Each structure stands twice: as structure tokens, then as C-alpha cells.
Amino acid sequence: MRQPWLLAGAAVLLACLGASFSLADVTPAPSAYAVVALLVAFLLTESVHFDFEYRRQTLSVATVELALVLGLVEIGGFWTAVARVVAVSVVLAVKRYVAAKAVFNAALAVVEVAAAAAVYRWLGSPDIQEPVSWLVLYLAVTAAGVVAFAMVWVAISVADRAPGHSYWTGAVVPVFVMGPLSGLVAVVALVLAGQSPWAWALVVPVVLALVAVFRQSARVARERRNVQRVYDFARRVEQVSPDDAGVQQIVTAVRELLNADRVALWLPPYLDEEPRLVVSQDGGSAPWYDGPSDPDDLVRRRAVAAEHGAPVLVTGARATPEERAALDRRGAQEVLGAPVVTAAGEYGYLEVCDRQSDIVSFAEGDRAALDSMLTHVNAAIRQQQLLTRIRYDADHDRLTGLPNRQRLAAEVDALLAVAPGVARIGLVLASLDNYTEVTDTLGHAASDELLLVTAGLLREHAPPTALVARMEGGQFAVLLPGLSLPATERAARRLRDAASTRARVAGLDLEVSLTLGVAASPVHGDESGALMQRADVALLAGHSSGGVASYHPVLDQQSLRRLQLGTELESAMAEKQITVVFQPIVDTATSDIVAVETLVRWAHPRYGNVPPDDFIGLAEQIGRIGVVTDYVLDLALARCRRWLDQDIALSVAVNLSARCLAETDLVDRVRAALRLHGVPGELLTLELTEGSVVDDSVRNSTVLADLHSLGLRLSMDDFGTGYSSLSQLRQLPIDELKIDKSFVLGMSTSQSESFIARSIVELAHNLGLRVVAEGVEDEVTRDLLAEMGCDKLQGFLVSRPLPDDRLEAWLLARTGVRTAAPGAPHRRLFVRS
């Protein structure tokens, strides 16, 4: 507050000194009409001016030289100064200048008149009709302009900082051209009036026309400055940096080019970024103010809802009570608000508060300039957000929005780098068990939907500090900072239990089940690559160990073994390392051998006998189960064909993986195999697991009906261990049930197991299905099953699974041939007692 009054006091002191030297010899008092006329002339010329802004300071250039020349020549310097001061005071009062500024400008007016009067007196006051007087008046007017610009330069330097070279270059035209030109009009008027008083009738219209032209020129100049500001802004925006600092640069450019006190830009959330409020204020760090961030704020609401997105202007002079409240919350007298359109099509908000100049206020030209700037602001914001999108897409999964493998590795390494060798980090890899099956059966749209459901479940049930990522396919990862290996294992089991549910996908209720592999630092490694690789090894082990497994060094050998088995699977079939064995199935009542179940075996040259569960599960995971099934089916039907060639009817049963039911060409392949070997469909039984048969995707497809239409029989294997219901069984084209051996083995010693087996037999018979009991190993169990009415028996009591040559020997030793029944085309084998 002291500095403006200090400048004003210095200006008053200088005005007093100038007046005492230049205006001391007061000429005889002119007529009141002359003084009033001069006052009117000053009022008229002071009301039309050019405004040159420099930060908080504004220099106004008007056509006062016209009145100044008239005053010096007609009524003298003293009364000219009086008329000028009165006119300036009136104009400043109307414009509501602050007191210190008004005093400074009034004193400046006195100094200008004093400087002009001093030159006019020093060089003499020749007759206006003499050309030399014209030169004197030109010098007087020029001196007044130079003194005025010099005083303003000092004031700006003291109040802010010294203007540069452009200030003085900008002063050339008003001081040496525009001012003298206005004075020249006054000289012409005085010369003509000296020839004839009636000349004023010609001069006054010319003067008024000059003022009008000056006013139009001022308007054109303002528009040109606005165009130049937009052009300069566009150039600056093109050079902003493509990062967060670029937004700050844009806001600062708007503030400087509109000479505003402060500018705020609010941007809505984008991708994983929070909403942002960027504020630029002259003179230091900007305080936060809540208008731009509030969606219910009056100015912001109007700007965003404005037709065609045009900026809105709210000024204190014409504010309603609601608008005044909006201005007060910002501590502003005027606000320009405009919408900003982001790359996502959402609205942001740009706000400009208060012109730095205390003379010039925001006007329509500024609103138009801001409207033009918005095109460049929108383009710059969208460009930066598109770059953000590119960076985001580089380390995020496009479908789920989760971090991807690269981002996960970076996060792991960043956490490990904080405390190398001792940082505790848990890493859980989760594999969606039925992802491939859903993809093959229902298509990628359904599997994508399932992935989104799984991602949501993991995010919901993972600890708050966890990072959930998607790796590839149906695999996810959960990073658990600060957890030890035991804590990670507990968290993994809780996560698996919480995420195991049924979800509605593609109109079907599908099971969401996960297999998890666990690794932890520093126990299992101290860099991301090692942790991820070992969690992946544990994940493979998880498929055969209850759904959750932790890494152990021994798993590396198992993983290497699985890898080698996977690569050798097809060559093993070609080299006959993979073969089949047959286990007879007999009719309980007649002891006829009604079928043999075909079981697959692999005798590996390095690993020995590989358990079927190992390589069948592996074949399912790597997508080669269809090839293995076709291979086994071909061997089984070839064996059946040889029996037919001996006029013996012996059915073969082949296990069918749940994954095979999802293969679109399964029915065609089975039909082609039957035709190739010339085996009728009724001599082939396909055994299906209970879980695969009752799966929604299978029940809602036609694959079971299409297989059944080939004449073959469908058997539900391992019945009693799944979740099938009576209503489901009635809807399926199943011919028989196989009681799981876990119930059969305990029948002789457990009454509850015997009761379960009896219930299954009765249930199946009530539905018109035949029943096979597998795992029959003693005569007590055989007798119990016979008493229950079980149709067929299979187990070690009858025979172990035998390779082809041993099966042939067993048949010769243990069976006889029964003559074909009337109407039957082939003979039957029976077990001799």
C-alpha cells in the first residue's frame, strides 16, 4: 500500500515543481467560455485512448494534444493545466481508479502541461500564422509525450520491474507521430480561425471526425492485439513439454497473454490419474481455491453448459447476488470461465480471474481471444492425454485395465531396490482353470467377459496394498508388498477361496476357479525375473496339489520334466512309447464280457512309466488333448475291429476329456474313426467325467446329443464325486453311470458307502440307466453289488488292465465263447467260473 502512494507523492512533488517554474506567470484570466470549452475538449479527448498494458501497469495514450495546443495558444499554460486536471479527475472518477493511481495520473497531467508550456515559452510564442510557431508547438507536444512516458517508465520500474526495449519502441508512434498529428489538427484549426471566425464551423466537424477515426483505430488496434495474442499463444502451446509440466506451461501462457492475475485449469480423472487442478498466479505459488474444482460452482456450471462451449464473463460491476458469492469465494472482481474438452470427451474447466491492470477490465475482445485460445488448449490437452494413453497402454492390459507383465516387473524391481537382499515381497500367480475351455466353446467374447469377472474378484478380495496384474491368457498376478512366504501362502489360500464362485457369463452360470502358484522374496529370489519364473513353476505344481503350491527347488526338475514331456508328446505316440491297456468289464448276472475300458500308458525312455494323470493333464494344458484322444480312439477301435473279424462282439470304452467336449469338430472326428475301422456305433462307449457333463456350456450345446446320434453309448464316469442332480441327469443323453471306486472299495467294511452305492443303483435304474461299478476287488463286494442289482462290474477281481498281447492270453485262458443269441450278429465272450 505504501509504494503506490510513494509514487503518487513523488509525482505530486514533481508536478508542483514543474508548475512553479513553467506555469508561474499567469496570463490574464480568460473568459469562462474559453475555459469551459477547453475543459470539454479535454473530456472528449481523454475519453478516447489507446491502452498499453505492461503487467499491472497501464499506459493510456489519447488525443489530448489537440486540446493541449488550443489551451497553450488561447488561454495559457496555467488555465490549460487547470482544465486538464479537472478533466482527468472526472474521467478517473468515472472509471473508478484507485486513489493513489488517480493522484498519480492527475499529477502526470500537470507535468505534461508544464513540460509543453516550458518548451513553448522557452522557444518563444510566435504568431500562430508563422510557420515557426508550428515547429515550436510540435516540440512542445513531443516534450510532453516524452516526459509522460519517462514518468510512467519510472513508476513501472519502481512498482514492478523495468520494462524492456519494447516499451520505448512502442512509445515512438504515440510520442512522435500520433501526438503531433493531433496537435497539427489544432494548429490548422487556429490558423483557419485566425482568417475567419466562421472557420470553426468547418473545424469542429473535422475534429469530431478525427476523434471518431481515432476511436475506430483504437478498436482495430485492440482487435489486432487480440489476434496477435492468440497467434503468440498458439506458438507457445506448440512448444510445451509433453508431460505434466506442459499443463502448467499452458496455464501460465493463458495468464500471461491475457495479463490475468491468476488462471486455473481443472481436468477430470483420466485413466489412472486423479482429477487435477493446475493454478498459475503472478508472483509466486498459487493458493488453492475451490471454485474450479466444484462441479456445482455457478461460473463453472455456466461455462460447461454454455451453448457451443463459449466462454462466460462474470464481473463484479454487474453481478447478481449469486455471481457475487462466486466471485467472493475466489477473491476476484471478474472471472472468465470456459470449458475444456479432454481426449476422453469429458469436460474440464479453464478459469481466468482478474486483469492485472487496475485500469483495463476484461471485455468482449478478451472473451473472443480466450475462445480462440481454447482451440489450442483443447488440442494441447488432448495431445498430452493421448501421450498418457500411449504410456498407459504400454504397461496396462487393454481388456481389464490391470497392470501388465512389464509393469509388474517394474513394480517388483522397485520394491526390491529399496532394501536389496532383505525386502519381503510375496508374488502369487493365478491361472483361470476353464479359460481355454470357455474360449473354445463360447468364443473370445465370453472368455473376455470371464476375465473381467475374475479381475473384479481379485481386485475385490486382494489386500488393499496389493497390486493385481494380468499376465497373458487366463493368468493373473497379485503382488503383496511386505509379506513373508508363510503370510503370502495364507493370503493366496484366502484369495482362492474368496474368488471361487459361479458367475453369469454369456448367459450361462460358469464356475470361476483358480490355481495359484506362490513365490516370495528374499527366499526365492531378489529380482523380478527370478520371482516370476519361480511363481510360474509353482503354478504348474498347483494343478496337482490342491490348487495352491509354493515354489521349491525340486519343482525346477519337475517343471523341466513337464516341459520335455510336452515337447515329446506327439513323437512318443509316433514311436509307440504311448500305448493302451484294456480292462475287461463283465455283466453281473451272466458273467459275459460286455466291454473293455481302454486306458492310456506312457513308457518314457528316461523317466520310465509316466502316470496318465501327469501327461493327460499336461496335454490338456498345452492344447494337445484332442490329438491324444484321437490316438487312443484309433487303437481302441482297431482292437474292436479285430474281434469283429473273429465274429466276437466286444465293446470298447474310451475316456473323453472335458476339454474335448469344447472342440467343435469332435463329433466329425469320432464319426470318421468309426467309419475308418468299420465299427458300429453301439460297440463304442465314451466315458465322460461328471463335472464335464453337467457344465452349463456342455448342457447348453448339442455335442452330447450329436455324439449319441452316432449310435454309441455315453457313460458318466466317477459318478458321486461331482455336483450333478436328478433333474440334470434326466436332461442328458446318458446311457449308464459308473460308480466311483472310492465308494466301491469301502463297501465291504462301511455301511454308509454301501448305502451310497445302493442309492446310486436305484437312482440310475429309475432313470432307465445301466450301472457299472469300478474298483471291485473282492467277492464280498461283488456279491453286494449283485444283490443291489448293479449291471456291470470292473476291477482287479475280474482282471487288471492288460496290454493287448496279455489280454489275448487272458481271454484264451479265462473265457469261453457264447453262441450268438437269436437276432444277434456276433458271438459273446464269458468268464468261465
Side-chain angles (χ1 to χ4, degrees):
M1 191 66 184
R2 294 178 180 177
Q3 193 177 68
W5 281 110
L6 179 63
L7 291 172
V12 170
L13 178 60
L14 185 61
C16 292
L17 291 174
S20 64
F21 286 107
S22 303
L23 308 176
D25 54 337
V26 179
T27 57
S31 67
Y33 294 109
V35 176
V36 171
L38 186 62
L39 175 61
V40 171
F42 272 122
L43 286 172
L44 183 63
T45 56
E46 286 284 356
S47 64
V48 182
H49 52 80
F50 282 115
D51 292 319
F52 294 94
E53 292 181 75
Y54 183 78
R55 299 171 67 82
R56 298 187 179 275
Q57 310 303 322
T58 303
L59 175 62
S60 294
V61 178
T63 56
V64 295
E65 290 81 4
L66 189 151
L68 179 61
V69 169
L70 293 176
L72 289 177
V73 174
E74 294 295 326
I75 64 176
F78 177 79
W79 291 106
T80 301
V82 171
R84 175 78 191 280
V85 170
V86 172
V88 167
S89 300
V90 171
V91 171
L92 296 181
V94 171
K95 293 186 175 182
R96 298 183 180 181
Y97 272 46
V98 295
K101 191 86 171 184
V103 171
F104 178 86
N105 280 276
L108 179 62
V110 173
V111 173
E112 284 187 79
V113 175
V119 172
Y120 188 63
R121 287 177 52 198
W122 179 58
L123 296 178
S125 304
D127 185 4
I128 194 63
Q129 301 294 332
E130 298 295 330
V132 67
S133 67
W134 306 342
L135 178 60
V136 171
L137 288 171
Y138 171 83
L139 295 176
V141 168
T142 302
V146 170
V147 169
F149 267 84
M151 283 187 64
V152 172
W153 182 87
V154 172
I156 293 175
S157 301
V158 173
D160 203 329
R161 60 172 180 261
H165 177 71
S166 60
Y167 176 86
W168 292 107
T169 57
V172 171
V173 173
V175 171
F176 295 100
V177 179
M178 294 175 58
L181 182 61
S182 299
L184 177 61
V185 173
V187 170
V188 171
L190 291 172
V191 170
L192 293 176
Q195 300 297 322
S196 170
W198 290 103
W200 287 107
L202 299 174
V203 171
V204 170
V206 172
V207 171
L208 293 176
L210 176 64
V211 172
V213 170
F214 189 86
R215 185 170 185 175
Q216 179 65 18
S217 299
R219 186 184 67 80
V220 172
R222 284 195 298 270
E223 293 177 353
R224 186 169 61 250
R225 287 202 303 272
N226 287 339
V227 172
Q228 184 62 39
R229 281 189 297 179
V230 173
Y231 175 72
D232 293 341
F233 179 79
R235 288 194 303 174
R236 290 184 61 174
V237 168
E238 288 178 356
Q239 299 171 3
V240 299
S241 56
D243 52 23
D244 291 342
V247 178
Q248 184 68 54
Q249 294 170 4
I250 292 172
V251 174
T252 302
V254 172
R255 180 183 60 78
E256 292 178 352
L257 291 170
L258 288 177
N259 196 29
D261 184 65
R262 60 182 172 179
V263 174
L265 174 63
W266 180 86
L267 293 174
Y270 183 70
L271 300 177
D272 57 353
E273 294 179 348
E274 296 294 325
R276 285 191 293 167
L277 178 64
V278 183
V279 181
S280 175
Q281 175 174 290
D282 183 49
S285 60
W288 182 87
Y289 58 109
D290 60 356
S293 299
D294 182 5
D296 296 323
D297 178 75
L298 177 68
V299 183
R300 172 178 164 176
R301 193 170 66 248
R302 285 185 183 176
V304 173
E307 185 177 2
H308 306 304
V312 297
L313 174 61
V314 178
T315 61
R318 297 185 295 273
T320 64
E322 293 81 5
E323 292 172 342
R324 170 51 61 187
L327 292 172
D328 290 343
R329 77 188 297 190
R330 295 163 168 80
Q333 292 300 314
E334 54 184 351
V335 173
L336 271 170
V340 174
V341 183
T342 66
E346 297 182 280
Y347 278 112
Y349 173 62
L350 178 67
E351 180 176 280
V352 184
C353 292
D354 289 337
R355 201 67 168 259
Q356 287 198 45
S357 169
D358 54 4
I359 297 177
V360 180
S361 300
F362 289 131
E364 288 299 319
D366 299 297
R367 186 159 69 169
L370 180 59
D371 195 16
S372 299
M373 291 179 186
L374 284 179
T375 302
H376 304 287
V377 172
N378 289 336
I381 295 299
R382 285 196 292 268
Q383 181 183 17
Q384 292 204 340
Q385 290 187 333
L386 288 175
L387 291 174
T388 301
R389 162 62 76 179
I390 292 172
R391 291 192 293 267
Y392 180 88
D393 288 344
D395 57 11
H396 284 78
D397 174 55
R398 179 64 66 90
L399 174 65
T400 63
L402 296 175
N404 59 16
R405 176 185 289 273
Q406 290 74 21
R407 172 74 178 278
L408 176 68
E411 293 288 340
V412 171
D413 286 334
L415 290 172
L416 292 173
V418 173
V422 296
R424 296 200 303 181
I425 297 174
L427 181 62
V428 178
L429 291 188
S431 176
L432 189 57
D433 293 336
N434 57 342
Y435 172 74
T436 303
E437 178 182 351
V438 171
T439 302
D440 293 342
T441 306
L442 302 177
H444 288 284
S447 62
D448 286 349
E449 188 176 348
L450 182 61
L451 287 172
L452 289 172
V453 170
T454 307
L457 289 170
L458 290 174
R459 276 186 291 212
E460 178 183 356
H461 298 293
T465 59
L467 173 70
V468 180
R470 184 188 173 199
M471 307 299 278
E472 63 275 314
Q475 195 175 104
F476 295 84
V478 181
L479 176 62
L480 301 167
L483 294 192
S484 62
L485 177 59
T488 303
E489 291 172 340
R490 291 192 295 271
R493 296 188 185 279
R494 288 195 299 267
L495 188 61
R496 183 174 187 268
D497 292 340
S500 296
T501 183
R502 295 186 74 85
R504 195 73 176 172
V505 175
L508 304 174
D509 288 328
L510 299 183
E511 190 76 25
V512 178
S513 62
L514 299 173
T515 299
L516 307 182
V518 176
S521 172
V523 180
H524 297 145
D526 56 3
E527 58 92 18
S528 60
L531 277 182
M532 293 167 68
Q533 184 267 334
R534 287 167 180 174
D536 198 44
V537 170
L539 178 63
L540 292 175
H543 290 284
S544 57
S545 59
V548 179
S550 297
Y551 172 78
H552 190 278
V554 72
L555 295 177
D556 284 330
Q557 292 301 320
Q558 296 179 5
S559 179
L560 180 62
R561 176 175 177 268
R562 287 175 60 86
L563 178 63
Q564 185 169 353
L565 290 177
T567 59
E568 295 178 357
L569 192 61
E570 294 194 39
S571 62
M573 288 185 286
E575 296 171 5
K576 304 301 181 181
Q577 295 176 19
I578 296 179
T579 58
V580 293
V581 294
F582 304 95
Q583 186 172 30
I585 301 172
V586 301
D587 185 284
T588 307
T590 65
S591 295
D592 285 354
I593 302 178
V594 293
V596 292
E597 181 178 4
T598 310
L599 303 172
V600 66
R601 297 290 186 264
W602 187 352
H604 194 278
R606 178 183 300 176
Y607 301 122
N609 292 326
V610 181
D613 288 344
D614 284 2
F615 67 87
I616 293 299
L618 176 61
E620 290 179 332
Q621 291 178 21
I622 65 176
R624 307 306 295 163
I625 188 62
V627 176
V628 175
T629 300
D630 292 345
Y631 176 78
V632 174
L633 183 62
D634 182 73
L635 293 178
L637 291 177
R639 175 70 268 189
C640 183
R641 179 69 257 174
R642 290 199 295 274
W643 281 320
L644 285 174
D645 292 340
Q646 299 172 21
D647 197 26
I648 295 174
L650 193 57
S651 176
V652 289
V654 176
N655 290 284
L656 198 62
S657 167
R659 297 287 177 89
C660 290
L661 294 177
E663 296 173 344
T664 57
D665 61 343
L666 172 65
V667 177
D668 294 334
R669 289 174 10 229
V670 173
R671 180 187 295 111
L674 290 170
R675 289 177 178 174
L676 175 66
H677 295 282
V679 174
E682 61 267 19
L683 292 183
L684 173 63
T685 300
L686 295 180
E687 296 188 0
L688 314 168
T689 60
E690 184 177 358
S692 68
V693 170
V694 300
D695 185 85
D696 284 337
S697 61
V698 174
R699 288 195 297 114
N700 287 277
S701 69
T702 63
V703 61
L704 295 181
D706 293 342
L707 287 172
H708 203 261
S709 67
L710 299 178
L712 52 79
R713 287 177 294 182
L714 297 178
S715 175
M716 183 181 289
D717 198 9
D718 301 330
F719 184 79
T721 61
Y723 303 95
S724 58
S725 66
L726 179 62
S727 61
Q728 289 173 324
L729 291 177
R730 293 176 61 188
Q731 299 170 8
L732 298 172
I734 300 297
D735 298 288
E736 68 180 25
L737 300 181
K738 293 189 74 172
I739 304 175
D740 187 71
K741 63 182 178 181
S742 62
F743 301 114
V744 176
L745 290 172
M747 283 179 56
S748 60
T749 58
S750 173
Q751 187 174 2
S752 61
E753 302 290 354
S754 179
F755 177 76
I756 292 174
R758 183 181 299 274
S759 300
I760 293 175
V761 171
E762 292 177 355
L763 169 65
H765 287 169
N766 289 334
L767 293 175
L769 305 178
R770 297 177 66 81
V771 181
V772 181
E774 58 180 350
V776 181
E777 297 186 357
D778 56 75
E779 293 181 354
V780 174
T781 302
R782 179 196 62 188
D783 294 341
L784 286 172
L785 289 168
E787 186 268 331
M788 294 176 187
C790 181
D791 301 289
K792 303 176 186 178
L793 303 176
Q794 176 183 356
F796 289 177
L797 180 65
V798 178
S799 173
R800 292 177 177 273
L802 301 171
D804 187 55
D805 54 345
R806 291 182 58 190
L807 174 65
E808 194 68 30
W810 182 88
L811 292 174
L812 290 174
R814 295 290 306 276
T815 66
V817 180
R818 198 184 302 277
T819 304
H826 302 289
R827 298 179 298 167
R828 303 293 296 255
L829 296 177
F830 66 94
V831 179
R832 292 194 296 265
S833 58

